[in-house]
C-alpha cells in the first residue's frame, strides 16, 4: 500500500500491530525506548539465569483458539515454544485462613468436577455458573474473531454483561467460600468488589477453562517472532531510541523525534504506551483538554511486587501449573487495598525450560501491590532511590518468603540468589502510569469512562495496547486487530482469520 506507519513502543501491542500491518503491505517502523524490545515479554539475565519480567500464563493458544488463529495468520504458530499446564491441575490455590488447598482442572467438565469435589452441594450451581461464563464470552464477537463493528459492543449484550463480577458469581453460587475461589484469578485483571465488570471475569476465566500454556525458555522469543514478521515484510524495529516528542499541528501528527534526534514521518502514528505517558510527549494543546482530563481521571489497575529467585541445583521440583496464595477468602476482592496488610496474596510459578526435567532452577513470585506503597519514592530514578528503599524491598521480599514457606516448607533453604522489582520498576521500564500491570481499571458503575477508543482526537494518531478494550496476552492482540482495522477497514483482518 506504500503507506508508512510509525509505532511508538515495542510492547506486545506495538509488535502485534506492527506485524499485522507489515504483513498487509504497510511500511512499518517501531521505535522502542528500552535496549530490549517486547515490553512485558522482555526477559533479563541474573545469576546466569534468564528470567521473564512477567508471569506469563497464556490462554487462547490451544489449536483453534483466538490467539492461535492470529499467530497462524502471521505464519509463526509452529515456531512458538510453549508448554501446556497439567490438565488435571491447571492451578492450585491455597487459603491461609483455613489452610486449605484447591485444585482446578482443565475444561468445562473438569472445572466443575474439581470444585464440586470440595463443594458437592454446589455441583448444579457450578454447572450453571460455567455455562453462563461461556455464554457471555461467546457473545463477544471480537473475542471470537467474528465479523462485527470491530469493538466489544459492551452495551448490546445481556444485563449480566455489565454486572459486577462479584454479584455475577453470587447470582449462581451460594457458598461464600466458593464465591471467593471462583474469583481466584482477580490478580490477573485487577478484580475489585462491586467494580470489575462480569464480562472481564468471564473472558479471563474462559481462557483458562479452555486450557493455559506457558512459554518455554523465556517469553522474549515470542517478541522476536513478531519482530521477524515485521522485518521479513520490509519493516524495522529500532530499540534504545524512544520517541521524545510528537509534533502535532491542526489535530494531525507531522513527525516524531527520538532521543537520538532523528525525525520520523509517516501517514499514521500508533502509540503503544500508556495514553497518559503519551500526553507528556506532545504540546498540551495538541489534544482537547476534556479528552486529556478524561483519560487522566481513569483509575489504573494495581501494580505488583515481584521476586525472581534462582534455586539451588536439584533442590526444588518443577511445578507444571501456577499456584495462588490467598490470605482470607473475603480478601480475594481487595488485593491492592493500601489500607490492608500486605501481601494479601501472590502468584507462584516455576517457568519451564527446554527439556524440562524433575527439578527447576528458578521461581517467579508476583504479588499485587498498590502504587501508594511506593509513592514516597515516586520522584526517584532507577539505581538512585536510596538505602531506605532497598531496606523496604528487603522487608517485602521477606514477607513473601514467609508465606511461601506455608505452601512449600523448607523453600528458603533452596534459594541461591534473589532479585526484586517494585511498582516503580514497572512504571519506569514500561512507561506505565503508576506501574499498572493491567492498564486502565474497568468499573461497571461507570463503564463509559474506561472505554478508550483506538482512534483519537488527532486524525492520524491511533492507540493500541492494554488500555484499550482488554489487557493481557489475549486482550492486547485483539486490540491490535481493532487498531489495524481502523486503517485497513472494518473486518479486513477478521475475515482473513
Amino acid at each position: 500500500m506504500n503507506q508508512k506507519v510509525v509505532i511508538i513502543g515495542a510492547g506486545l501491542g506495538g509488535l502485534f500491530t506492527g506485524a499485522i500491518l507489515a504483513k498487509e503491505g504497510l511500511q512499518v517502523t517501531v521505535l522502542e525506548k528500552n535496549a530490549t524490545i517486547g515490553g512485558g515479554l522482555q526477559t533479563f539475565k541474573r545469576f546466569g539465569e534468564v528470567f521473564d519480567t512477567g508471569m506469563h500464563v497464556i490462554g487462547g493458544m490451544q489449536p483453534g483458539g483466538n490467539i492461535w488463529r492470529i499467530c497462524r495468520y502471521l505464519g509463526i504458530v509452529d515456531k512458538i515454544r510453549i508448554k501446556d499446564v497439567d490438565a488435571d491441575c491447571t492451578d492450585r490455590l491455597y487459603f491461609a485462613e483455613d489452610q486449605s488447598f484447591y485444585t482446578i482442572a482443565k475444561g468445562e467438565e473438569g472445572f466443575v468436577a474439581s470444585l464440586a469435589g470440595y463443594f458437592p452441594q454446589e455441583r448444579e450451581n457450578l454447572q450453571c455458573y460455567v455455562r453462563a461464563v461461556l455464554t457471555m464470552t461467546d457473545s463477544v464477537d471480537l473475542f471470537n474473531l467474528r465479523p462485527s463493528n470491530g469493538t466489544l459492543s459492551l452495551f448490546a449484550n445481556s444485563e449480566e454483561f455489565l454486572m459486577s463480577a462479584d454479584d455475577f458469581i453470587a447470582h449462581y453460587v451460594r457458598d461464600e467460600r466458593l464465591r471467593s475461589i471462583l474469583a481466584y484469578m482477580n490478580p490477573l485483571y485487577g478484580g475489585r468488589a462491586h467494580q470489575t465488570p462480569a464480562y472481564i471475569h468471564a473472558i479471563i476465566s474462559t481462557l483458562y477453562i479452555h486450557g493455559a500454556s506457558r512459554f518455554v525458555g523465556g517469553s522474549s522469543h515470542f517478541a522476536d517472532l513478531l519482530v521477524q514478521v515485521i522485518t521479513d515484510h520490509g519493516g524495522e524495529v529500532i530499540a534504545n531510541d524512544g520517541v521524545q516528542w510528537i509534533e502535532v499541528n491542526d489535530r494531525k501528527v507531522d513527525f516524531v523525534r527520538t532521543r537520538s534526534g532523528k525525525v520520523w514521518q509517516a501517514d499514521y502514528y500508533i502509540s503503544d504506551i500508556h495514553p497518559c505517558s503519551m500526553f507528556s510527549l506532545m504540546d498540551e494543546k495538541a489534544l482537547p483538554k476534556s479528552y486529556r482530563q478524561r483519560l487522566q481521571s481513569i483509575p489504573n489497575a494495581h501494580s505488583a511486587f515481584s521476586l525472581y529467585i534462582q534455586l539451588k541445583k536439584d533442590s526444588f521440583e518443577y511445578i507444571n501449573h501456577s499456584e495462588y496464595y490467598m490470605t482470607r477468602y473475603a480478601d480475594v476482592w481487595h488485593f491492592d487495598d493500601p489500607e490492608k496488610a500486605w501481601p494479601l496474596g501472590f502468584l507462584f510459578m516455576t517457568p519451564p525450560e527446554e527439556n524440562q526435567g524433575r527439578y527447576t532452577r528458578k521461581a517467579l513470585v508476583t504479588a499485587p501491590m498498590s502504587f501508594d506503597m511506593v509513592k514516597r519514592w515516586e520522584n526517584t530514578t532507577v539505581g538512585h532511590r536510596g538505602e531506605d528503599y532497598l531496606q523496604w524491598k528487603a522487608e517485602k521480599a521477606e514477607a513473601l518468603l514467609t508465606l511461601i514457606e506455608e505452601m512449600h516448607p523448607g523453600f528458603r533453604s533452596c534459594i541461591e540468589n534473589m532479585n526484586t522489582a517494585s511498582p516503580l520498576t514497572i512504571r519506569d521500564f514500561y512507561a506505565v502510569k503508576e506501574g499498572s500491570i493491567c492498564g486502565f481499571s474497568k468499573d461497571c458503575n461507570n463503564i463509559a469512562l474506561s472505554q478508550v477508543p483506538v482512534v483519537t482526537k488527532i486524525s492520524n494518531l491511533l492507540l493500541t495496547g492494554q488500555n484499550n478494550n482488554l489487557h493481557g496476552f489475549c486482550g492486547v492482540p485483539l486490540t491490535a486487530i481493532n487498531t489495524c482495522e481502523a486503517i485497513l477497514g472494518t473486518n479486513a483482518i477478521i475475515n482473513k482469520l
Side-chain angles (χ1 to χ4, degrees):
M1 295 173 61
N2 295 322
Q3 288 186 311
K4 294 182 179 179
V5 178
V6 165
I7 298 176
I8 303 169
L12 182 63
L15 292 177
F16 255 112
T17 304
I20 293 170
L21 291 176
K23 181 176 174 60
E24 291 300 315
L26 282 76
Q27 298 178 36
V28 174
T29 299
V30 185
L31 303 171
E32 168 59 43
K33 77 178 184 70
N34 289 332
T36 54
I37 55 91
L41 294 173
Q42 292 180 61
T43 57
F44 65 95
K45 196 167 187 178
R46 290 288 188 280
F47 327 121
E49 299 286 344
V50 175
F51 289 91
D52 288 345
T53 54
M55 301 283 287
H56 295 302
V57 183
I58 56 179
M61 279 302 298
Q62 303 296 320
N66 50 14
I67 308 306
W68 183 91
R69 289 166 62 188
I70 298 171
C71 291
R72 181 183 61 179
Y73 153 81
L74 291 173
I76 61 174
V77 73
D78 295 327
K79 302 175 184 178
I80 303 169
R81 301 194 301 272
I82 56 174
K83 181 178 177 65
D84 293 342
V85 299
D86 293 330
D88 60 348
C89 180
T90 61
D91 292 306
R92 188 174 79 139
L93 325 180
Y94 173 76
F95 283 84
E97 181 176 344
D98 57 5
Q99 299 181 323
S100 293
F101 286 94
Y102 302 92
T103 296
I104 311 293
K106 174 184 174 181
E108 181 177 354
E109 293 183 4
F111 185 92
V112 170
S114 58
L115 288 177
Y118 305 105
F119 301 91
Q121 75 282 5
E122 293 278 6
R123 177 179 290 274
E124 186 174 340
N125 291 337
L126 280 164
Q127 291 172 334
C128 293
Y129 160 80
V130 171
R131 283 197 296 269
V133 163
L134 298 178
T135 299
M136 184 179 295
T137 304
D138 187 60
S139 71
V140 182
D141 288 335
L142 183 60
F143 180 85
N144 292 283
L145 301 179
R146 292 191 299 256
S148 68
N149 63 3
T151 69
L152 280 174
S153 302
L154 295 183
F155 304 101
N157 289 277
S158 67
E159 182 180 341
E160 287 186 339
F161 202 78
L162 293 178
M163 288 175 64
S164 69
D166 51 328
D167 285 343
F168 170 76
I169 295 171
H171 179 73
Y172 291 95
V173 174
R174 292 190 299 269
D175 190 285
E176 292 189 359
R177 288 183 304 155
L178 180 55
R179 291 176 182 176
S180 293
I181 290 168
L182 292 172
Y184 78 92
M185 284 185 287
N186 275 348
L188 299 180
Y189 53 84
R192 291 171 174 155
H194 316 308
Q195 291 184 14
T196 300
Y199 79 87
I200 297 287
H201 168 79
I203 286 174
I204 302 298
S205 298
T206 295
L207 286 169
Y208 295 106
I209 288 173
H210 287 333
S213 308
R214 301 190 292 186
F215 288 116
V216 174
S219 54
S220 62
H221 86 273
F222 186 79
D224 292 337
L225 289 175
L226 294 174
V227 170
Q228 185 177 346
V229 174
I230 295 171
T231 56
D232 284 352
H233 289 87
E236 56 185 338
V237 179
I238 300 172
N240 209 26
D241 196 19
V243 171
Q244 287 196 328
W245 184 252
I246 304 172
E247 180 66 23
V248 180
N249 293 292
D250 298 324
R251 297 284 191 265
K252 183 179 181 182
V253 178
D254 288 337
F255 63 84
V256 298
R257 186 173 60 248
T258 62
R259 184 171 57 206
S260 67
K262 187 166 184 178
V263 171
W264 296 86
Q265 291 182 300
D267 298 286
Y268 294 97
Y269 301 81
I270 299 173
S271 175
D272 182 40
I273 63 176
H274 193 291
C276 295
S277 299
M278 180 188 71
F279 295 156
S280 66
L281 303 179
M282 59 179 68
D283 190 284
E284 65 176 15
K285 296 179 181 178
L287 287 161
K289 183 178 180 180
S290 59
Y291 179 82
R292 286 187 287 106
Q293 288 181 334
R294 186 178 82 81
L295 268 61
Q296 288 169 338
S297 69
I298 302 173
N300 289 281
H302 62 241
S303 189
F305 186 94
S306 298
L307 303 182
Y308 303 95
I309 302 171
Q310 181 188 43
L311 298 164
K312 297 174 183 176
K313 187 177 180 180
D314 297 342
S315 66
F316 192 83
E317 292 192 1
Y318 168 74
I319 302 170
N320 196 40
H321 57 260
S322 298
E323 297 191 327
Y324 292 73
Y325 178 103
M326 319 288 191
T327 48
R328 299 175 61 251
Y329 288 90
D331 285 337
V332 166
W333 294 100
H334 307 283
F335 275 114
D336 65 340
D337 188 340
E339 301 300 318
K340 291 182 175 287
W342 185 92
L344 292 179
F346 58 83
L347 284 75
F348 179 94
M349 176 194 297
T350 57
E353 296 292 339
E354 295 282 357
N355 303 312
Q356 179 64 57
R358 177 181 175 184
Y359 294 96
T360 182
R361 286 303 306 272
K362 54 194 174 187
L364 306 180
V365 183
T366 295
M369 176 179 277
S370 167
F371 189 77
D372 288 344
M373 294 189 69
V374 295
K375 203 167 181 61
R376 74 189 97 161
W377 298 290
E378 67 176 333
N379 295 319
T380 63
T381 57
V382 177
H384 301 88
R385 307 202 196 278
E387 286 299 322
D388 58 336
Y389 173 72
L390 297 178
Q391 179 61 35
W392 174 86
K393 286 209 300 180
E395 292 171 359
K396 299 309 174 188
E398 179 64 24
L400 286 173
L401 292 176
T402 298
L403 300 185
I404 294 171
E405 285 278 338
E406 292 183 35
M407 293 195 302
H408 299 288
F411 181 77
R412 288 176 188 273
S413 64
C414 302
I415 298 174
E416 189 163 308
N417 290 293
M418 185 170 64
N419 193 52
T420 59
S422 82
L424 292 170
T425 314
I426 298 170
R427 180 200 67 175
D428 292 346
F429 277 94
Y430 301 152
V432 175
K433 185 179 180 181
E434 298 177 351
S436 172
I437 61 173
C438 304
F440 285 138
S441 273
K442 305 293 191 295
D443 188 343
C444 64
N445 304 296
N446 189 3
I447 197 65
L449 177 66
S450 57
Q451 297 310 297
V452 181
V454 298
V455 297
T456 71
K457 302 297 183 179
I458 296 173
S459 63
N460 60 344
L461 176 65
L462 301 170
L463 305 178
T464 196
Q466 68 174 356
N467 293 288
N468 310 93
N469 290 333
L470 299 168
H471 71 281
F473 184 79
C474 176
V476 169
L478 298 180
T479 296
I481 290 176
N482 202 183
T483 301
C484 293
E485 292 188 343
I487 297 174
L488 302 170
T490 302
N491 298 322
I493 302 302
I494 292 292
N495 288 334
K496 295 183 178 183
L497 298 176

